[in-house]
Each structure stands twice: as C-alpha cells, then as structure tokens.
Amino acid sequence: MAAVLEEAVARLRRADPGLRAVILFGSAAWAGEVARDLDLLILTEGWPEGSALHDLLADLPLPVDLVIRRVGEPLGRLAPAIRAGRLIWGDPQILEEALSGMPVPSPEEVWQTLAAAEDYARLAQEAVSPLRRDRHYRTAFNTLFEAARLAVMIYLSTDEDAGGAFSVRFPPSSRNPSAA
C-alpha cells in the first residue's frame, strides 16, 4: 500500500505543479490491509484536466478514486470523509483551511447511525435470498464504519485533537505525515 501511495503522489506531483496536498480517505486510510481501492483528494492551486490525472493513475495495482478540488473551494459533503482521512503529502495548513467551518456531527447522529446498522443486520438475518443477505450485511458494515467515522469526528473536535494531549502519545515523525 505504501509503495502504491508513494507512486501515486509522485505522478500527481509531476503532472500538477500547483498541487498543494494529497489526502487519503475512505477505507484505505484506516484499514489499508482490506481496502479494495484508494480514495484520494487532491487540493491544487491549478486546475489540471481531471480525466488526464485519472488516466495517469489507471495502471496502479489498486483502482484510484480521485477527487480534485481547488485550494479554497468548499469540500461540501465530502468534508466528513476527509476529516477522518489522513494527509499523505503536502501542506497541513491547506488541509486545515479546507476543513475549517465544517460542522461537527452530534452524538445523536452517531446513535441513529448505529441504530440503522442494527436494522440492516436484522434484515440480513431475516433475508431468504443469499444475495440480499450479503447486501444487507455489507450495508450494515458500511453503516457501522460511518458511525465510527462520525464518532471520530466528534473526538477530533475536542481539546484532545491533533494539537492536544492525544498527539503527544505518538513519536514526532508520526505527527507530520507530509515531512516524509
């Protein structure tokens, strides 16, 4: 996974001189060993041809879902996924600016998402069709992942966030992923 990410970033940097940050989000950000693809957000000062950048990454060993945003452009509905992602290259300040003003989910939203996951698991247990059972279990798992992501967002918005006591528990090299 690390070698694929390194190659993707190298190609993107060569193709886009205005590139300011590359963020890994989705399943590969926290469960790389089971990820089936890479979800990458690039923040750029330019506006490279999106299809050209997609083509540039097409031959990597894992499929890449690439999202392109200009620096200063709102992330919109993508922001929560990015908040739970991680910067793999670039300026951490650019990422913080992109996420500033993003609303933090409520604990009630987390509880309701967990309840929905439980509903999907129940549907899976009741399903007669193996295909439907599989689909409901997958949706239950994805919904549990969403609840965990929302809970992490709440945690990251507390005083124990990346600048607080939590970060001092990690070695200095892990606090700034773009330094590598």
Side-chain angles (χ1 to χ4, degrees):
M1 176 74 67
V4 174
L5 287 172
E6 186 176 315
E7 179 62 24
V9 168
R11 290 180 187 188
L12 291 168
R13 289 181 67 193
R14 283 191 300 269
D16 181 6
L19 188 66
R20 296 292 305 277
V22 179
I23 296 93
L24 177 66
F25 67 100
S27 60
W30 301 105
E33 62 279 356
V34 296
R36 295 183 189 176
D37 67 352
L38 299 175
D39 299 303
L40 297 177
L41 166 69
I42 66 167
L43 297 173
T44 181
E45 290 179 338
W47 193 249
E49 178 63 37
S51 61
L53 290 179
H54 285 91
D55 292 346
L56 185 69
L57 304 175
D59 66 334
L60 291 174
L62 288 171
V64 177
D65 292 329
L66 187 62
V67 177
I68 304 167
R69 293 289 188 272
R70 292 184 87 161
V71 171
E73 181 181 358
L75 295 177
R77 298 188 72 207
L78 184 61
I82 301 307
R83 173 73 76 185
R86 61 186 169 98
L87 181 71
I88 58 171
W89 179 86
D91 184 350
Q93 184 62 35
I94 294 295
L95 178 57
E96 276 309 308
E97 289 170 11
L99 293 173
S100 67
M102 183 188 92
V104 176
S106 69
E108 178 62 21
E109 188 174 351
V110 175
W111 287 115
Q112 290 300 321
T113 304
L114 286 170
E118 188 175 37
D119 292 344
Y120 289 121
R122 190 173 23 265
L123 287 170
Q125 291 171 347
E126 296 168 357
V128 175
S129 162
L131 290 175
R132 222 176 219 184
R133 184 174 35 254
D134 182 62
R135 171 54 45 206
H136 288 313
Y137 276 128
R138 286 174 186 260
T139 304
F141 174 80
N142 289 338
T143 307
L144 284 172
F145 186 80
E146 171 72 4
R149 186 181 63 74
L150 293 170
V152 165
M153 288 175 56
I154 292 171
Y155 177 77
L156 289 174
S157 71
T158 67
D159 289 338
E160 297 291 313
D161 68 3
F166 188 67
S167 68
V168 298
R169 296 183 192 146
F170 295 101
S173 63
S174 69
R175 290 186 214 148
N176 185 2
S178 64

